[in-house]
Amino acid sequence: MERVNTKWVAAAASIWIQSFSGATYTFAIYSSILKSSQSYDQSTLDFVSVFKDIGGTLGIFSGLLYTAMASTPHGRGGPWVVVFVGLVQWFLGFFFMWASVVGLIPKPPVAVMCLFVFLAGHSLPFFNTASVVTAARNFSDYGGTAVGIMQGFLGLSGAILIQLHHAVSGEGNPATFILLLAVVPTFVIFLTMPFVRVYETVRTSDKKHLDGLSIISLIIAAYLMFIITVQNVLGLSRSMQILSFVLVLLLLSSPLLIAVRALREENQTLKALDHPVLDATTLLISPGLNIPSDGDHVVREDSNIFEAMSTVNFWLLFLAMLCGMGSGFATINNIRQIGESLRYSTVQLNSLVSLWSIWNFLGRFGAGYISDTFLHRHSWPRPVFMAITLGVMAVGHVVVASGLQGSLYVGSVLIGMAYGSQWSLMPTITSEIFGIRHMGTIYFTISIAGPVGSYLLSVKVIGYFYDKVASEVDNSCFGSQCFRTSFVIMASVALFGSLVASVLWFRTNKFYKRLVAKRSLK
């Protein structure tokens, strides 16, 4: 049994968990029913949505739990414990949210609804910590690619969950979608979580099999984009919607083929050798270990959260994410309302949200893979890609602010890809600069910048300027003026984040050159 439970099976299980846990990116699908059933205005809805973002990035507890449960490969517990704790929160949050919307329980106060939304969102750091940190440990030499794959499937999960919604209820009541979120992912994640384990070994075939997983992820993304486009342009019958989702499930099963192939190659290697494959636990020590420090430019050894927070690099990352993740969160939380103000149809709005998941995936996967390639071949520091993608995000905000025909589609492509990039670049940079032992805690502490920025930009900027021009009768607004000022402000914020990331780039340039030199000696 132990030979079946390899790190490739763990990777396949993590992919399934990530693929069904991204309900954060489907908020726009059920935000309208939440708003109408609870009689919220736009500012109140934005306020409630912020708690989803707070829960989704408050990963200090999941990081600490992961360190306690998975600090040793064969200790008690393991990453599955972290997943289970998140699963309980997931079910409770979405079940009570659904019960509130359909009237199964009395209409809760805003504070209680914020709690339900927070619980649903707070499950994500537990799933993400278990999947991402385990992948970074199992594939230490290609952490950017491994983390990009895991984060990429999380980005795709929004589109996958919406396809589930279409297969079960067509274009039905969004309340049904909330119930589906409470039940189906709970079942899937419960079945797969025991297989998520740490296998601290490094083999020369890792790159080849990771490339295989990368190809699979791109195929799934291309298929989902095709289905979404067909639904938007031609429409699909109910039977075709069911069939298309079945094909999605079959494609999600294909990582097991990679696991089988990897296991077969490992068995052949073991038969040809007189000794087992090298245990490379010592190679998994933080890339920053024993690398001389340039003053405050790097943190020596495996820094804990307090040691990391005492450095300038930590706060540069935090500030960059405040700008990048904050404006990204604000966009996805309001993308449906933006579309409604421009008089998009329901099908177009759902397609817009689904396509956001595709662009989010491309950013997450692409940034991880491309930054790995340029790091290994040209010694490019990863923060350079953070600076570039935040600059692209600023351009995307300007495009949306223009209000031109199709600007929301074009802008969402740029913003979605740039936003997704931060979710693979930031954790990988964190593991390289501060070490992998406390990666989960530090990574999600920096992620708190996301909801902080989201609150400032969603409530204090978007909500404020929307309500200022909205009708006093029904709090509605139609036309490009509803969100133009807000997106000009967010473009400025993203551009400032790009400048901050550039400072981090210059500070870590020598460190990354030594990191590449060290890895080349392995």
Side-chain angles (χ1 to χ4, degrees), residues 62-390:
S62 63
L64 293 173
L65 181 61
Y66 185 93
T67 300
M69 292 291 102
S71 57
T72 57
H74 306 293
R76 296 183 61 183
W80 72 267
V81 177
V82 182
V83 176
F84 180 74
V85 173
L87 194 59
V88 173
Q89 297 177 77
W90 171 285
F91 178 77
L92 291 177
F94 281 112
F95 178 80
F96 283 109
M97 202 186 307
W98 168 77
S100 302
V101 167
V102 300
L104 190 63
I105 62 176
K107 185 183 296 185
V110 173
V112 177
M113 180 59 76
C114 288
L115 175 62
F116 297 158
V117 173
F118 173 83
L119 283 175
H122 195 232
S123 61
L124 179 58
F126 290 83
F127 301 145
N128 210 17
T129 297
S131 299
V132 170
V133 181
T134 299
R137 294 179 67 173
N138 286 345
F139 306 101
S140 60
D141 278 0
Y142 294 94
T145 302
V147 170
I149 290 171
M150 294 303 157
Q151 294 284 28
F153 276 101
L154 179 60
L156 282 179
S157 63
I160 293 171
L161 290 171
I162 291 173
Q163 291 304 309
L164 167 66
H165 177 43
H166 290 164
V168 174
S169 59
E171 301 293 335
N173 192 330
T176 306
F177 182 54
I178 302 177
L179 180 60
L180 285 174
L181 291 178
V183 175
V184 177
T186 300
F187 177 73
V188 171
I189 294 172
F190 183 79
L191 291 180
T192 54
M193 67 182 186
F195 298 99
V196 181
R197 302 183 183 183
V198 176
Y199 299 89
E200 296 184 326
T201 57
V202 175
R203 297 183 176 88
T204 56
S205 60
D206 283 357
K207 180 65 166 64
K208 178 178 69 174
H209 296 314
L210 283 174
D211 285 345
L213 289 178
S214 300
I215 292 172
I216 289 172
S217 66
L218 289 172
I219 291 173
I220 294 175
Y223 174 73
L224 286 170
M225 186 166 64
F226 170 76
I227 291 298
I228 293 167
T229 303
V230 171
Q231 285 175 336
N232 188 25
V233 176
L234 302 176
L236 289 176
S237 65
R238 184 67 179 282
S239 58
M240 288 301 297
Q241 289 175 335
I242 295 173
L243 177 61
S244 67
F245 183 68
V246 170
L247 290 177
V248 170
L249 294 179
L250 292 176
L251 288 172
L252 286 175
S253 302
S254 55
L256 289 174
L257 299 177
I258 301 294
V260 171
R261 186 175 70 176
L263 178 60
R264 184 182 300 118
E265 290 184 4
E266 289 174 14
N267 287 336
Q268 292 173 350
T269 302
L270 288 172
K271 290 178 181 178
L273 298 175
D274 294 328
H275 53 79
V277 177
L278 172 66
D279 186 313
T281 303
T282 56
L283 299 183
L284 291 176
I285 299 175
S286 162
L289 182 61
N290 295 328
I291 297 178
S293 172
D294 290 336
D296 183 50
H297 289 202
V298 296
V299 178
R300 294 181 59 122
E301 302 184 356
D302 286 308
S303 303
N304 60 37
I305 181 60
F306 300 107
E307 293 169 337
M309 290 179 69
S310 67
T311 68
V312 172
N313 287 341
F314 176 92
W315 294 107
L316 288 172
L317 268 176
F318 187 92
L319 186 56
M321 293 304 95
L322 182 76
C323 300
M325 290 182 177
S327 59
F329 273 132
T331 301
I332 185 57
N333 287 343
N334 292 277
I335 197 168
R336 190 178 188 92
Q337 282 69 38
I338 298 170
E340 288 176 347
S341 72
L342 298 175
R343 300 186 184 279
Y344 282 32
S345 67
T346 300
V347 173
Q348 287 176 318
L349 292 173
N350 289 346
S351 298
L352 196 63
V353 175
S354 298
L355 286 171
W356 172 276
S357 294
I358 304 299
W359 316 137
N360 192 6
F361 157 78
L362 290 175
R364 289 169 184 255
F365 167 75
Y369 190 88
I370 293 172
S371 65
D372 251 3
T373 300
F374 277 82
L375 176 64
H376 284 276
R377 294 183 181 178
H378 307 291
S379 302
W380 280 34
R382 287 193 208 274
V384 67
F385 294 97
M386 184 174 287
I388 292 171
T389 52
L390 288 175

Side-chain angles (χ1 to χ4, degrees), residues 478-516:
F478 296 97
S480 60
Q481 76 279 1
C482 303
F483 294 92
R484 178 181 290 122
T485 303
S486 301
F487 273 84
V488 170
I489 293 173
M490 290 201 294
S492 302
V493 170
L495 183 60
F496 176 72
S498 178
L499 296 176
V500 172
S502 297
V503 175
L504 181 64
W505 164 22
F506 287 113
R507 287 175 58 83
T508 57
N509 187 39
K510 293 181 180 179
F511 163 76
Y512 273 99
K513 291 186 183 300
R514 290 196 301 273
L515 172 60
V516 173

Side-chain angles (χ1 to χ4, degrees), residues 6-27:
T6 66
K7 65 181 181 181
W8 297 104
V9 173
S14 295
I15 285 172
W16 272 76
I17 291 172
Q18 296 291 85
S19 297
F20 283 88
S21 61
T24 300
Y25 305 109
T26 65
F27 181 77

